[in-house]
Amino acid sequence: LCCQCGVPIPPNPANMCVGCLRAQVDITEGIPKQGTVHFCKQCERYLQPPGTWIPCALESRELLALCLKKIKASLSKVRLIDAGFIWTEPHSKRLKLKLTVQKEVINGAVLQQVFVVEYVVQSQMCEDCHRIEAKDFWKAVVQVRQKTVHKKTFYYLEQLILKHRLHQNTLRIKEIHDGLDFYYSSKQHAQKMVDFLQCTVPSRSKSSQRLISHDIHSNIYNYKSTFSVEIVPICKDNVVCLSPKLAQSLGNMSQICVCIRVTSAIHLIDPRTLQIAEIDGNTYWRHPFNSLFHPKQLEEFIIMDISRVHEKKKGAGAGARSNKHTLAEAWVRKTSELDTDHQYFCCTHLGHILNPGDLVLGFDLANCNLNDEFANKMNPQHIPDVV
């Protein structure tokens, strides 16, 4: 019989029924039934004391661990069997935890009990959001500039930045004339961005820093860093005119070339010989050259006749040739001049694509006003009529 109420029970070390045992001993004594957690509304993160902010979804394992850490000290006297969330309305600012604990009581009898701990969610702005609100939040800025009319390179960069998730550390991205500004909370993040840009596009960079404050007692300096990155002003499908010295060093190419693509180097092709060359950022800034046209100045031509050139003799000291392109000679006529019989002769690297009657876009060098220092010094016989 139970020694308290006299109910027949199977024998146990305490000689008491479960009801009396519960009345005598409360194993959840000393465990707080209420608590608070701090939540930042701006960035939707929870505070993990002392100063870490972590993103957690509602009823996630991370949030459960964070709540259990708050009562970890008082749980040391009992054995935690199970823990889980009780559903609360998402906007109620309440989190309820259902805990199951075990403890050894009188004479080795083990008692198990289920109880609920309720947490109140309090709003508190984290330091990062505080600084953003204060408008004095960035420690480093990367200014990316390219002196071109169109934003082709920036669209390409945007895709790469999204692919490699480099936008995660930026505090703000601001569009400026000729480029973009990326703001960062630390100099390391900005330096990482500069290194990435130098790997993906031909560019050059400069850095400077400005002293904001200085603590003379602990010798701590607070700087704001600025990184200026200038991307070469050459894009895909631009016609460029190289300096004679550079053209000679690239294997005696002709000075007028077409840029077929831009990666971490500029890839050029000579439309008369199919000779290809790569120019990296350092070489470009030593021998700078400009694009002769904007893409808006392209004109439409119709191909009257085209014939492929199978054997072209290599010049002295010529470099590598492209295997993806085919050399061809073509007679073309402007679509705006179809009523006249004025035709142009040109060499093209697109012989594998073009057929008579096709419409193509080209640059008319015969009737244009060129204002380029290298093109003006060239022998007029070496300048093609149409590229």
Side-chain angles (χ1 to χ4, degrees), residues 142-180:
V142 180
Q143 300 171 338
V144 187
R145 300 287 182 271
Q146 188 186 30
K147 295 183 172 69
T148 54
V149 180
H150 49 83
K151 297 272 183 283
K152 203 180 255 189
T153 308
F154 285 107
Y155 294 143
Y156 168 64
L157 271 180
E158 181 183 33
Q159 299 306 317
L160 283 177
I161 288 167
L162 290 172
K163 180 184 170 185
H164 295 289
R165 305 180 74 77
L166 276 169
H167 58 292
Q168 283 180 317
N169 298 322
T170 52
L171 299 170
R172 181 169 63 154
I173 300 173
K174 201 172 170 187
E175 194 173 336
I176 307 275
H177 177 65
D178 277 349
L180 296 169

Side-chain angles (χ1 to χ4, degrees), residues 156-157 160 192-203 229 263-265:
Y156 168 64
L157 271 180
L160 283 177
K192 190 177 170 188
M193 181 66 176
V194 173
D195 295 343
F196 169 76
L197 288 170
Q198 285 176 335
C199 294
T200 49
V201 282
S203 58
V229 180
T263 53
S264 54

Side-chain angles (χ1 to χ4, degrees), residues 57-77:
L58 280 172
E59 301 199 6
S60 64
R61 290 170 63 179
E62 294 85 2
L63 189 55
L64 185 64
L66 189 140
C67 293
L68 287 174
K69 269 183 190 167
K70 297 251 177 200
I71 53 170
K72 189 179 179 183
S74 53
L75 285 174
S76 59
K77 297 186 182 76

